[in-house]
C-alpha cells in the first residue's frame, strides 16, 4: 500500500516557499505522493445568502496543475489531483495540462477527476452544472484518445475535435484517471471507466457496499475489478493509535494507496504540518529518503 499526503491547501495561504518546503519535506520523510484538492473560485457568503459550503471566497487554493509543474522540478514525488472538477474545464485544455504534468514528472502523475458540488464555480466558468455527469464520461473518453493518438477526430455531445492532437504526448499513454465517488451513480461510473477511485468515508459497512457496486459495474463492463486502484484518506488528529488503526483498516479493505491529511488539526505553518507528518511517518513505518 503506497502512502502519501494531502497538501494542506487551505492552511498555508499563498506562500510559494511553503509549497517547496512542504514537497521536499514530505519526500524526505518517505512519503510517495502528494494529493491536491481543486477549487478555482470561492463563493462570497455575503452575496450568496445561506451559503453552507465548506469553502468560500476567503479559502486559499493553489491551482493544482500549475503547482504540480513547480513541484515536478523540486521533488520526485508522484503527484495526484483529488479531485480536478473536470466538467467545469475545457476538455482539450485539461488533457494538455495533464500531459504536461506527466511529462515534467517523468510519468509520476495520476489525474483524479470528479463532478464537484459548487454551482457558483460552474456559472463563473461558463459550464452547465446539470449535465456534468454525462459530460465527464465523454471527457474521459476524449482525453484518453488525445493522450494516445497523434491526430484525433471526435464528435460528441459536448466536444468536437477535427484532425487535431497534443504534442508532445505524455509519458503514460494513457494517463491513469481516478474518480471521486460518493453516490451509487458515481460508484457505477468508476467501475465502468476509472483506473482507480477515491472513497469518501472510512473502512466499514458503507465502504463494503460501495466497493461491491464498483466491482459489479466493472464486471458488467467486461473489466477485472481487481485491477482498479483505491485510495483512502486518513485524517491526522494527533492520535497515534487511531492513525495506525485507520491505516490497518484501509489495508485490510484492499486499498492500494492512502493519503495522510493534516488539515483541520489546528496546524498553521508548514513546519507544524511537517512535524505532524514526521510522527505519522514513524507510526506508519516509513523510511526517510526512501
Amino acid at each position: 500500500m503506497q502512502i502519501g499526503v494531502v497538501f494542506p491547501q487551505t492552511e498555508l495561504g499563498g506562500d510559494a516557499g511553503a509549497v517547496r518546503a512542504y514537497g521536499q519535506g514530505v519526500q524526505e520523510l518517505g512519503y510517495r505522493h502528494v494529493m491536491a484538492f481543486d477549487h478555482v473560485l470561492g463563493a462570497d457568503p455575503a452575496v450568496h445568502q445561506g451559503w453552507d459550503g465548506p469553502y468560500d471566497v476567503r479559502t486559499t487554493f493553489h491551482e493544482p496543475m500549475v503547482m504540480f509543474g513547480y513541484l515536478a522540478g523540486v521533488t520526485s514525488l508522484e503527484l495526484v489531483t483529488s479531485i480536478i472538477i473536470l466538467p467545469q474545464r475545457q476538455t482539450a485544455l485539461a488533457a494538455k495540462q495533464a500531459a504536461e504534468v506527466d511529462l515534467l514528472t517523468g510519468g509520476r502523475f495520476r489525474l483524479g477527476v470528479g463532478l464537484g458540488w459548487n454551482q457558483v464555480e460552474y456559472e463563473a466558468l461558463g459550464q452547465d452544472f446539470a449535465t456534468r455527469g454525462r459530460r465527464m464520461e465523454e471527457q474521459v473518453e476524449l482525453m484518453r484518445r488525445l493522450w494516445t493518438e497523434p491526430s484525433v477526430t471526435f464528435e460528441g455531445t459536448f466536444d468536437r475535435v477535427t484532425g487535431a492532437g497534443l504534442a508532445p504526448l505524455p509519458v503514460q499513454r494513457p494517463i491513469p484517471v481516478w474518480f471521486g465517488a460518493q453516490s451509487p451513480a458515481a460508484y457505477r461510473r468508476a467501475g465502468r471507466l476509472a483506473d482507480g477511485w477515491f472513497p469518501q468515508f472510512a473502512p466499514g459497512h458503507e465502504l463494503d457496499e460501495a466497493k461491491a457496486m464498483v466491482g459489479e459495474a466493472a464486471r458488467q463492463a467486461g473489466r477485472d475489478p481487481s485491477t482498479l486502484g483505491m485510495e483512502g484518506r486518513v485524517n491526522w488528529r494527533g492520535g497515534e493509535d487511531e492513525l495506525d488503526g485507520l491505516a490497518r483498516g484501509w489495508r485490510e479493505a484492499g486499498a492500494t494507496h492512502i493519503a495522510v491529511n493534516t488539515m483541520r488539526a489546528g496546524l498553521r505553518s508548514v513546519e507544524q504540518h511537517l512535524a505532524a507528518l514526521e510522527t505519522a511517518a514513524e507510526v506508519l513505518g516509513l523510511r526517510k529518503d526512501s
Side-chain angles (χ1 to χ4, degrees), residues 143-156:
M143 288 196 304
R144 284 175 169 152
R145 290 192 59 189
L146 288 167
W147 292 329
T148 56
E149 302 174 27
S151 178
V152 174
T153 295
F154 179 91
E155 183 75 38

Side-chain angles (χ1 to χ4, degrees), residues 19-41:
V19 175
R20 182 187 187 109
Y22 183 87
Q24 293 179 335
V26 298
Q27 180 170 300
E28 290 170 2
L29 292 171
Y31 292 97
R32 299 287 301 281
H33 64 278
V34 171
M35 174 187 295
F37 300 159
D38 169 47
H39 277 290
V40 177
L41 297 163

Side-chain angles (χ1 to χ4, degrees), residues 11-70:
E11 297 179 2
L12 297 185
D15 182 0
V19 175
R20 182 187 187 109
Y22 183 87
Q24 293 179 335
V26 298
Q27 180 170 300
E28 290 170 2
L29 292 171
Y31 292 97
R32 299 287 301 281
H33 64 278
V34 171
M35 174 187 295
F37 300 159
D38 169 47
H39 277 290
V40 177
L41 297 163
D44 185 351
V47 175
H48 301 277
Q49 297 297 321
W51 179 259
D52 63 354
Y55 309 115
D56 62 26
V57 72
R58 294 177 292 272
T59 313
T60 59
F61 279 90
H62 290 283
E63 201 291 312
M65 299 295 204
V66 176
M67 184 176 76
F68 283 176
Y70 177 67

Side-chain angles (χ1 to χ4, degrees), residues 95-140:
K96 178 70 172 180
Q97 291 172 318
E100 187 68 14
V101 173
D102 193 64
L103 279 167
L104 293 172
T105 59
R108 296 185 305 275
F109 178 54
R110 272 184 287 146
L111 180 66
V113 300
L115 303 183
W117 51 267
N118 190 342
Q119 296 190 51
V120 173
E121 208 167 20
Y122 270 83
E123 177 189 58
L125 293 167
Q127 300 299 331
D128 183 3
F129 187 80
T131 61
R132 65 197 191 283
R134 288 187 291 119
R135 181 159 186 251
M136 190 173 78
E137 293 195 21
E138 182 180 293
Q139 287 180 293
V140 171

Side-chain angles (χ1 to χ4, degrees), residues 159-221:
D159 281 295
R160 175 190 296 177
V161 179
T162 305
L166 304 179
L169 292 172
V171 174
Q172 301 179 95
R173 301 182 189 177
I175 294 166
V177 179
W178 288 45
F179 284 16
Q182 54 182 339
S183 71
Y187 304 143
R188 291 190 291 269
R189 187 181 298 116
R192 290 196 315 272
L193 299 173
D195 297 301
W197 64 296
F198 302 100
Q200 301 301 305
F201 31 67
H205 181 66
E206 277 187 293
L207 179 63
D208 293 340
E209 288 188 336
K211 276 188 66 181
M213 283 186 267
V214 171
E216 180 58 26
R219 284 186 288 270
Q220 289 180 1

